[in-house]
Amino acid sequence: RVLFYDETLSADQQISCGSCHQQQYSFGDNSPTSTGVNGQQTTVNTPPLINLAWSRLFFWDGREGNLEEAIRAHISDPTIFDTPPEQLVQRAETHRDLFETTFPGDAITADNAITAIAAFVGELISFGAPIDLLHDPAIDKIDLTQEQERGILILEERLSTSGGEHYCNNCHVQNSGVNLDNSTQSGLFTIGTILNNGTGNWRVPTIRNISVTGPYLHDGSIPDLAA
């Protein structure tokens, strides 16, 4: 957590991981595209960092399959942190006491710093919404608002094929990949694979916490949820 919010790790010592991945936006941000080191603008929207412990693809184009390697790529990217490994170690020296506690007997290394950041990011877990509990046989009744109930009907009746398949759930599957207990398997709201959205091949994002993660799509081109 300390490294995640440490601005001195970037080349200009002005941005941290938390600059773009802000908690109030589900560890995303509210800009169409993100701003990296020295004010450089990226070409992609900042995705939320939630439930990544179960993710198998990282970045919008899915080019990394490992959380640690995705963080390493961000840190070295010239438009994001622009920090080579040796500089990362030098900047991390200010946290020597924490490193000695976390990695006893080890020197401060770029690998250890990246492992520590990944451990924090992997614990950014979001579950427990009413819909997560809706089909849990251990729970008698879930109180949904009228809008939520109407949304379920629209999904099941109007946004479905004649065979009953839900269009939204083709890609944003709730019941995918997370065993919460013996009775439910739910929560990711994404199949987590690469699909073509009409502008190219992009990773299907989660729609969890979607009310706070706009603007939307890989390039932030959709301004709000209604659009």
Side-chain angles (χ1 to χ4, degrees):
R1 184 184 183 280
V2 169
L3 295 175
F4 186 88
Y5 288 108
D6 188 348
E7 295 178 344
T8 69
L9 300 186
S10 61
D12 64 358
Q13 303 189 59
Q14 297 296 312
I15 64 166
S16 69
C17 303
S19 297
C20 294
H21 297 286
Q22 301 171 39
Q23 185 171 349
Q24 66 264 41
Y25 303 118
S26 195
F27 291 94
D29 65 18
N30 63 343
S31 300
T33 57
S34 57
T35 303
V37 67
N38 296 317
Q40 295 182 82
Q41 201 70 27
T42 73
T43 59
V44 294
N45 181 255
T46 302
L49 300 182
I50 52 169
N51 302 338
L52 293 186
W54 293 276
S55 181
R56 296 296 175 264
L57 293 175
F58 300 89
F59 295 104
W60 278 104
D61 59 5
R63 65 184 181 273
E64 292 291 349
N66 176 279
L67 179 56
E68 284 85 355
E69 292 309 309
I71 292 171
R72 190 189 309 276
H74 267 86
I75 291 173
S76 62
D77 191 311
T79 65
I80 301 178
F81 264 41
D82 194 24
T83 303
E86 60 273 13
Q87 190 175 71
L88 178 62
V89 171
Q90 180 184 8
R91 302 284 177 80
E93 283 283 349
T94 58
H95 308 299
R96 173 165 291 278
D97 289 349
L98 286 173
F99 271 96
E100 290 178 350
T101 300
T102 309
F103 304 100
D106 289 356
I108 296 177
T109 66
D111 285 346
N112 283 350
I114 289 166
T115 295
I117 295 171
F120 173 70
V121 172
E123 290 296 321
L124 302 179
I125 296 170
S126 177
F127 290 118
I131 196 169
D132 294 320
L133 309 174
L134 194 59
H135 303 295
D136 189 336
I139 298 176
D140 292 333
K141 186 177 185 297
I142 297 297
D143 292 324
L144 300 177
T145 66
Q146 289 184 346
E147 289 85 356
Q148 290 168 339
E149 290 177 349
R150 185 162 63 248
I152 290 174
L153 289 176
I154 290 172
L155 173 67
E156 293 180 349
E157 295 178 3
R158 291 173 55 189
L159 299 181
S160 301
T161 67
S162 58
E165 185 180 31
H166 302 169
Y167 287 124
C168 300
N169 281 350
N170 285 339
C171 299
H172 301 289
V173 182
Q174 178 184 2
N175 298 323
S176 60
V178 181
N179 291 303
L180 298 180
D181 55 43
N182 292 331
S183 61
T184 60
Q185 183 186 47
S186 62
L188 292 187
F189 288 96
T190 174
I191 58 176
T193 58
I194 303 296
L195 292 177
N196 193 307
N197 70 354
T199 66
N201 295 314
W202 307 104
R203 179 176 52 82
V204 177
T206 180
I207 55 171
R208 180 175 291 280
N209 300 342
I210 196 170
S211 62
V212 299
T213 60
Y216 303 100
L217 301 191
H218 68 282
D219 56 1
S221 58
I222 303 298
D224 54 45
L225 191 52

